[in-house]
Amino acid sequence: MHESLAGQRARTTELLTTGRFDVLVIGGGIVGLATAWEAARAGLRVAVVEKGDFASATSSASSKLVHGGLRYLAMGNVKLVRENHRERRALGTTVAPHHVRPLPFLVALRRGGPHGPVTIGAGMLAYTALSGFADGIGHIISPARAQQYVSGLRADALTACGIYHDHQMNDARLAVTTARAAAASGAVLLNHAEVLGLRTAGGQVSGVDVRDTLSGKEFGVDAEVVVNAAGPWVDHLRRLEDPAARPSMRLSKGTHLVLRRHGTWDAAVTTPLDGGRVSFAIPWEGRLLLGTTDEEYRGDPGAVRPTDADVDQILGEAGLSIGEEHLRRSDIVYSFAGLRVLPGGEGDTQHAKRETVVSVGRGGMISIAGGKWTTFRDIGRKVLKHLRTRLPQATPGPVNAPLPGAASPEAVEHVLLRAAPELPQDVAAHLARHYGSVSHELLALGLENPALLERVHPDGPDIWAQVVYAIEREWACEPDDVLRRRTTLTVRGLDTPEIRARVAELLQGALV
């Protein structure tokens, strides 16, 4: 019998309150998790506390892309594009091939649009050159040829299309896998654990006071170095350290829509917009992902939500290159909004640099502002360099260490179907792409209890073994932890009240 969720959390709390950690990370988004993974691999004693769930804010509200950033090349940031290409290649081949996979992209060049075929053709040539032409050479094709990839393109509105490759992923699953990697390296992680205040000793930040938001229990965690990776809340914590601390970042709201998909979608569509922005239409998790908006946000980070104006904007921008029959409001199954953390500065947010700023406060707390999903490992390594100035015993691990489950999803799918021929092909493919070689642990649950191999919803590939696995081994404590971030039920629009009630029942039993 696997340890109960209540038992896990009690044991984790005991570990957090025992002795002194080398590093305490506040924030369980991908920046905090990457930092914890790198620090733990370097031999440091590491703890992570997160007030919500892992990746419950910005890190699960992205465009689901691991990409070089064609737009950043247009902004003249060649160094960033080169770094992005290196990282997406490593993630897709060695570190996380079960999560990160290539996808063709079409650049829809419309009549009256901001760019013509010559400009885009030259840009894609430079872009693919920076990747070493690993995915071929970006080139121009006709609208008719592009429709063979995406049947919903408005060929009548287009003059041509560029075609190149980038990568996509499921951000929440990749974050959970990174959390597992950190834990496997010795880090102690607790979600649903809110920081109430900072501890100090001799004028230096020496830990935090925490409340378990599920049990209400309060306790302290002591550490040699505290890392503030709180994302949109990073400046809130900096002001706890120093009430006079000046803002280090600003927030940009990005909204996405998820729609039922119709027709052929063998590529993503990028539509250049006036002012340097782009509109994405991406086949993802059996649905169509549209986005994104980019506007400064000054409200409560916890209150960010999609608005009717966001929906109108996204559908309108997508409609410049995609037929209206693919953009019906009645096909929207889910929408979400998140906040990009951008370095402070002047000008609009869409032209702000997507870079990471690491600073040290007067109390010694290390704060991280900004960053990109594509370079999350680079960010972890950057923070580790700062840590080593105070913790010289840290010894960095191998650069391209694979994440748990790293394997070819096609190979894993083949093995799953050999081991369990009764498993539907789409379910096997789904498990392979979201768990990699760790899928055998879910299959074992199902072979022990065949009911766990049944679909949670008849229209999706998620199975009940994933729900049990999320609760027993992936820190899931609330229905959204399971339905939105450990499985794809919410983003597919399949988390019915009945399913949500059953998951809540399982969670309640595990917390007793």
Side-chain angles (χ1 to χ4, degrees):
M1 185 69 179
H2 204 273
E3 184 180 17
S4 72
L5 180 56
Q8 291 177 43
R9 292 183 67 82
R11 180 169 52 83
T12 299
T13 300
E14 184 177 356
L15 288 170
L16 289 172
T17 55
T18 301
R20 185 179 180 87
F21 287 87
D22 296 316
V23 180
L24 168 64
V25 179
I26 305 172
I30 191 56
V31 169
L33 295 173
T35 297
W37 184 31
E38 288 295 330
R41 290 200 306 128
L44 300 176
R45 187 169 187 244
V46 179
V48 179
V49 291
E50 159 60 45
K51 73 173 182 177
D53 183 28
F54 302 126
S56 58
T58 298
S59 295
S60 61
S62 76
S63 296
K64 324 300 181 186
L65 298 178
V66 175
H67 62 141
L70 185 60
R71 186 163 69 100
Y72 306 136
L73 185 61
M75 295 165 66
N77 199 335
V78 174
K79 180 175 180 289
L80 178 61
V81 174
R82 184 180 288 112
E83 291 172 351
N84 289 349
H85 276 312
R86 184 193 67 236
E87 279 299 294
R88 77 177 180 93
R89 180 64 49 194
L91 289 166
T93 58
T94 306
V95 179
H98 52 321
H99 287 308
V100 179
R101 51 195 175 275
L103 179 70
F105 274 72
L106 298 170
V107 182
L109 303 176
R110 53 193 172 85
R111 293 182 176 85
H115 305 298
V118 173
T119 302
I120 289 296
M124 287 195 310
L125 179 61
Y127 184 74
T128 52
L130 287 170
S131 73
F133 300 113
D135 298 305
I137 301 173
H139 57 283
I140 301 294
I141 60 177
S142 69
R145 176 74 179 91
Q147 279 187 315
Q148 296 177 20
Y149 287 91
V150 176
S151 58
L153 276 175
R154 291 179 52 198
D156 61 315
L158 305 180
T159 59
C161 282
I163 184 168
Y164 67 102
H165 281 76
D166 258 326
H167 285 64
Q168 72 172 165
M169 48 84 176
N170 181 309
D171 49 13
R173 285 284 341 152
L174 183 50
V176 170
T177 300
T178 306
R180 293 192 63 173
S185 297
V188 180
L189 294 83
L190 188 66
N191 55 354
H192 301 285
E194 181 181 11
V195 169
L196 301 176
L198 301 179
R199 294 183 158 198
T200 59
Q204 296 294 293
V205 176
S206 60
V208 296
D209 292 315
V210 177
R211 178 176 61 232
D212 182 331
T213 60
L214 301 182
S215 69
K217 181 178 179 180
E218 297 184 7
F219 56 93
V221 185
D222 296 316
E224 186 69 26
V225 183
V226 174
V227 176
N228 170 15
W233 294 271
V234 69
D235 278 346
H236 168 72
L237 286 171
R238 290 178 65 247
R239 286 190 291 272
L240 291 181
E241 178 190 28
D242 177 7
R246 299 182 61 183
S248 66
M249 55 83 178
R250 51 187 173 149
L251 301 176
S252 166
K253 176 185 172 184
T255 298
H256 293 80
L257 309 178
V258 184
L259 287 75
R260 297 182 189 89
R261 202 165 79 203
H262 305 287
T264 302
W265 281 88
D266 293 333
V269 175
T270 300
T271 302
L273 305 171
D274 294 336
R277 290 181 52 247
V278 298
S279 167
F280 286 123
I282 305 168
W284 182 73
E285 300 293 5
R287 297 289 188 259
L288 181 63
L289 179 68
L290 300 180
T292 175
T293 59
D294 190 342
E295 59 183 15
E296 189 161 8
Y297 183 84
R298 296 181 178 273
D300 175 5
V304 63
R305 298 288 186 277
T307 65
D308 289 341
D310 295 333
V311 175
D312 290 341
Q313 178 183 338
I314 291 171
L315 292 178
E317 291 173 347
L320 294 172
S321 58
I322 296 168
E324 61 182 15
E325 67 275 15
H326 297 269
L327 305 173
R328 293 188 290 255
R329 285 177 176 269
S330 59
D331 278 331
I332 298 175
V333 298
Y334 187 61
S335 61
F336 59 91
L339 296 172
R340 306 174 190 88
V341 180
L342 305 174
E346 301 297 324
D348 57 49
T349 56
Q350 60 190 328
H351 291 102
K353 291 183 178 179
R354 267 53 173 174
E355 61 183 18
T356 304
V357 177
V358 180
S359 61
V360 181
R362 73 177 189 183
M365 183 169 69
I366 297 175
S367 293
I368 314 166
K372 275 175 51 63
W373 244 112
T374 301
T375 54
F376 74 91
R377 296 190 313 139
D378 273 344
I379 296 170
R381 289 190 287 262
K382 184 176 183 178
V383 179
L384 181 60
K385 286 182 179 179
H386 281 264
L387 291 172
R388 293 182 70 196
T389 63
R390 292 157 67 180
L391 301 166
Q393 71 271 30
T395 304
V399 173
N400 286 333
L403 285 168
S408 159
E410 292 77 18
V412 171
E413 179 184 342
H414 177 74
V415 171
L416 289 175
L417 291 173
R418 288 283 298 274
E422 70 276 18
L423 205 64
Q425 190 276 330
D426 68 318
V427 172
H430 173 76
L431 295 177
R433 289 197 308 270
H434 292 80
Y435 299 86
S437 61
V438 174
S439 297
H440 73 87
E441 296 179 6
L442 287 94
L443 188 59
L445 291 173
L447 294 177
E448 184 178 323
N449 179 1
L452 297 182
L453 294 181
E454 295 178 2
R455 298 174 191 267
V456 180
H457 190 286
D459 295 337
D462 292 287
I463 58 176
W464 283 104
Q466 292 175 252
V467 175
V468 172
Y469 193 81
I471 297 170
E472 291 186 348
R473 308 188 197 184
E474 292 185 332
W475 301 280
C477 300
E478 296 183 344
D480 273 349
D481 300 354
V482 175
L483 295 168
R484 187 183 188 278
R485 289 177 287 277
R486 307 304 189 282
T487 69
T488 65
L489 289 153
T490 294
V491 297
R492 292 175 187 266
L494 303 178
D495 64 338
T496 66
E498 294 78 15
I499 289 172
R500 187 165 282 269
R502 175 59 181 147
V503 170
E505 183 182 333
L506 291 171
L507 285 163
Q508 185 58 39
L511 282 167
V512 171

